[in-house]
């Protein structure tokens, strides 16, 4: 198996059977990700060096406007897509096998968790997984300690309040909060008045 075949399998949303060739390849990528994130997290790096290390982690270049405050954690890295002017604060954890796409201008707070894999409910198949993507639109603000689950799309300009657990799609220009995250109001009060 190669990286292209692996990503095609995951991005098609296909089941990952525990112990299968796809699962074994995923474990190999995890080792590589741990090695690269250890490099990223173990000492000070300039913004340019962070861009270079993160590009190596995800297997494609990030824009030079990308900013991150390490540490950062992932068990894959190869299914992350980052837009321009994205900022990721410290201690974020991305489980990106199902795919994580982050739009231009997005801000991600401390300790955010993006989880794109679900395990099977059947205890006999618990080692098996189902990948589901996370898509973050442009100019989204995700607060500290937010958890976003697989299969979720967050629309552009949305705000996710600190500590929220996002289990379903978030409308563009909306503010959500709570566990599970629920609509609170529109980002622009003029939008709310027109409803």
């Amino acid at each position: 198996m190669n990286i292209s075949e692996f990503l095609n399998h995951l991005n098609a949303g296909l089941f990952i059977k525990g112990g299968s060739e796809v699962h074994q390849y995923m474990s190999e990528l995890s080792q590589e990700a741990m090695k690269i994130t250890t490099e990223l997290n173990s000492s000070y790096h300039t913004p340019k060096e962070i861009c270079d290390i993160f590009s190596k982690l995800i297997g494609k270049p990030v824009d030079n406007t990308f900013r991150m405050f390490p540490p950062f954690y992932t068990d894959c890295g190869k299914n992350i897509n980052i837009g321009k002017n994205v900022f990721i604060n410290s201690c974020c954890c991305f489980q990106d096998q199902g795919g994580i796409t982050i739009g231009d201008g997005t801000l991600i707070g401390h300790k955010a968790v993006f989880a794109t894999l679900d395990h099977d409910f059947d205890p006999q198949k618990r080692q098996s997984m189902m990948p589901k993507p996370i898509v973050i639109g442009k100019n989204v603000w995700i607060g500290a300690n937010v958890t976003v689950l697989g299969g979720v799309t967050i629309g552009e300009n949305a705000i996710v309040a600190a500590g929220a657990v996002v289990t379903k799609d978030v409308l563009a220009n909306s503010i959500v909060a709570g566990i599970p995250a629920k609509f609170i109001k529109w980002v622009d009060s003029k939008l709310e008045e027109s409803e």
Side-chain angles (χ1 to χ4, degrees):
M1 172 156 284
N2 61 40
I3 189 67
S4 179
E5 292 168 334
F6 175 72
L7 291 176
N8 286 340
H9 184 97
L10 295 176
N11 293 332
L14 300 175
F15 196 69
I16 303 165
K17 184 177 179 186
S20 67
E21 181 184 12
V22 176
H23 190 229
Q24 290 172 13
Y25 190 79
M26 187 166 67
S27 296
E28 291 172 22
L29 287 179
S30 294
Q31 295 302 309
E32 180 184 339
M34 284 190 282
K35 182 178 179 182
I36 296 169
T37 54
T38 297
E39 176 188 357
L40 176 68
N41 299 336
S42 64
S43 63
Y44 170 78
H45 299 285
T46 66
K48 165 95 170 65
E49 290 168 336
I50 289 172
C51 281
D52 291 344
I53 296 168
F54 199 78
S55 294
K56 182 166 69 170
L57 176 66
I58 69 172
K60 55 189 122 359
V62 292
D63 192 78
N64 62 7
T65 59
F66 172 73
R67 291 294 177 264
M68 170 186 283
F69 290 170
F72 173 83
Y73 305 96
T74 182
D75 55 357
C76 182
K78 299 300 188 238
N79 212 3
I80 299 173
N81 296 289
I82 303 276
K84 296 178 180 178
N85 294 306
V86 169
F87 173 71
I88 300 174
N89 219 322
S90 59
C91 298
C92 290
C93 299
F94 286 12
Q95 180 194 55
D96 63 281
Q97 287 89 341
I100 296 173
T101 300
I102 301 172
D104 297 348
T106 290
L107 307 173
I108 300 173
H110 296 87
K111 297 184 180 178
V113 174
F114 292 2
T116 66
L117 289 177
D118 282 332
H119 289 275
D120 199 295
F121 282 14
D122 181 346
Q124 303 305 315
K125 300 177 184 174
R126 191 65 44 87
Q127 297 302 317
S128 297
M129 293 161 274
M130 180 62 71
K132 296 178 184 175
I134 292 172
V135 178
I136 311 295
K138 293 181 180 180
N139 302 312
V140 171
W141 175 18
I142 295 176
N145 292 298
V146 165
T147 298
V148 181
L149 300 184
V152 165
T153 295
I154 299 177
E156 66 179 35
N157 305 318
I159 298 173
V160 180
V165 177
V166 185
T167 61
K168 61 183 182 178
D169 291 353
V170 174
L171 296 173
N173 302 301
S174 68
I175 300 174
V176 299
I179 303 173
K182 292 185 168 75
F183 176 82
I184 301 298
K185 64 180 186 175
W186 297 110
V187 171
D188 184 343
S189 61
K190 290 176 187 168
L191 290 173
E192 191 170 355
E193 291 167 9
S194 69
E195 287 283 303

